Amino acid sequence: MTAIEPRSAADRGTSRTPTGGLTPTRSRRDVVADYVSLTKPRIIELLLVTTFPVMFLAEQGVPGLWLIVATLVGGSLSAGSANTLNCYLDRDIDAKMHRTEGRPLATGVIAPRNALIFGVVLGIISVLWLGLLVNWLSAALSLAANVLYVGFYTLLLKRRTSQNIVWGGVAGCMPVLIGWSAVTNSLSWEALVLFLVVFFWTPPHYWPLSMRFRDDYAAAGVPMLPVIAKDVAVARQVVLYSWATVLTSIALVPVGDMGWIYLLTAVASGTIFLLEAHKLLLRARSDAPSSSLRPMRLFHYSISYLTLLFIGVAIDPLLHFAL
């Protein structure tokens, strides 16, 4: 009887992780899905929500289909690059947080070097794509957004200050400028107002999420405001930034000569946004336990609010009813 040779990890349908453990061999589809997840598609969707409608306002009508496609593809590549590089730099803290422990770099199914190369290549392609197919101003703005998110937010601010998401959120405002510049090859006061809307919106969008996952951020040593401040103090800041968001959105009416459709959309969606922010503050003031604050109500509605507001931005120039 001949001896039976032990099968290798690959023969058994497994492969070794960077730490030496064994994991099931992944199909090509699984590998593609892992790389796509590095780009954080849900965040990209939210960024496109602020890019696409602004193009209609800048055009005062419907932009060319190819311009829309080229801009959205280039913006997606740029955001995917920034998100991938963020995952690469944050892989140590992602492994410590329950919310992010399943990310490919945290689990080891993608090697850090491969993720770094992937992120850099996406960034280079995005700049060339936008520069050659849209215009070089949009390409420069997309590069600036990438640098701000990776260098300014992830490397400089995130682990050092509770104001990380405030100033680091500037990167998330750039798609507004990219959408405008794609159509006009310039910037304007209308674009600046919408930039500020997203800037003020970011804290009341992200801090409720941070309240929900406070323990995660604390375990990872990330000083998000809810980690170092009491719930009441955080909720007050949320209310202040929510008011700044809504008031700035209404300022677009005189600046951008917006009509009834946008005004009613901004007022109606903004009123609900403010109500949710004030409800969070009331629950915090009642000394309710953190588990009863329900901050995710505001987090989820903040996404709906921004979507509705920018839908109003897109529709108003198409069906303009002057005030």
Side-chain angles (χ1 to χ4, degrees):
M1 232 171 50
T2 57
I4 299 176
E5 293 293 330
R7 292 183 297 169
S8 65
D11 292 334
R12 294 194 302 271
T14 60
S15 59
R16 292 194 176 275
T17 67
T19 57
L22 295 177
T23 61
T25 299
R26 304 180 68 75
S27 67
R28 183 175 300 178
R29 178 179 295 182
D30 290 334
V31 173
V32 170
D34 287 334
Y35 276 95
V36 169
S37 71
L38 286 178
T39 68
K40 303 180 184 179
R42 289 187 177 181
I43 294 179
I44 293 177
E45 289 174 8
L46 191 57
L47 295 177
L48 296 184
V49 161
T50 62
T51 306
F52 180 65
V54 173
M55 298 179 72
F56 285 74
L57 181 60
E59 182 70 33
Q60 286 296 301
V62 181
L65 178 60
W66 169 245
L67 180 62
I68 293 174
V69 171
T71 303
L72 296 185
V73 169
S76 297
L77 291 171
S78 178
S81 167
N83 291 332
T84 298
L85 295 174
N86 170 266
C87 285
Y88 169 77
L89 293 170
D90 278 352
R91 62 191 185 278
D92 57 331
I93 60 176
D94 281 348
K96 299 176 183 177
M97 298 171 61
H98 179 69
R99 185 172 66 90
T100 57
E101 63 185 5
R103 288 178 177 172
L105 286 171
T107 60
V109 296
I110 292 180
R113 179 176 178 274
N114 293 344
L116 176 61
I117 293 172
F118 179 61
V120 171
V121 169
L122 280 182
I124 293 172
I125 293 174
S126 70
V127 172
L128 293 176
W129 177 280
L130 289 170
L132 295 173
L133 301 179
V134 181
N135 59 58
W136 288 105
L137 176 57
S138 297
L141 290 170
S142 76
L143 178 60
N146 202 324
V147 171
L148 284 169
Y149 187 64
V150 176
F152 188 54
Y153 170 66
T154 306
L155 280 175
L156 183 63
L157 297 177
K158 185 171 183 178
R159 308 191 194 201
R160 290 180 172 85
T161 172
S162 62
Q163 296 298 301
N164 47 20
I165 200 63
V166 177
W167 301 108
V170 170
C173 308
M174 298 298 284
V176 171
L177 304 185
I178 294 170
W180 188 278
S181 67
V183 173
T184 66
N185 200 19
S186 64
L187 298 176
S188 70
W189 288 110
E190 294 96 324
L192 178 60
V193 170
L194 288 170
F195 176 97
L196 290 175
V197 168
V198 181
F199 176 79
F200 290 129
W201 167 88
T202 302
H205 164 67
Y206 203 85
W207 279 336
L209 179 70
S210 305
M211 294 174 80
R212 168 65 178 82
F213 294 100
R214 177 190 289 110
D215 292 342
D216 267 5
Y217 285 108
V222 179
M224 300 301 296
L225 184 62
V227 173
I228 66 170
K230 294 183 178 180
D231 290 333
V232 172
V234 177
R236 286 197 193 103
Q237 290 293 309
V238 165
V239 167
L240 289 174
Y241 276 101
S242 298
W243 273 100
T245 302
V246 174
L247 292 176
T248 304
S249 73
I250 295 173
L252 183 64
V253 174
V255 173
D257 191 28
M258 307 300 285
W260 281 107
I261 291 177
Y262 174 79
L263 177 60
L264 292 175
T265 302
V267 171
S269 59
T271 298
I272 299 174
F273 189 40
L274 291 174
L275 285 174
E276 287 296 334
H278 279 278
K279 285 179 181 178
L280 179 64
L281 178 57
L282 286 174
R283 290 193 292 269
R285 282 177 172 168
S286 67
D287 292 326
S290 296
S291 58
S292 301
L293 289 177
R294 291 179 288 170
M296 296 301 284
R297 283 177 54 95
L298 179 56
F299 171 77
H300 290 302
Y301 180 72
S302 68
I303 297 173
S304 300
Y305 164 74
L306 197 70
T307 302
L308 290 170
L309 184 72
F310 275 82
I311 287 175
V313 169
I315 294 177
D316 194 272
L318 300 179
L319 303 171
H320 185 72
F321 297 100
L323 294 172

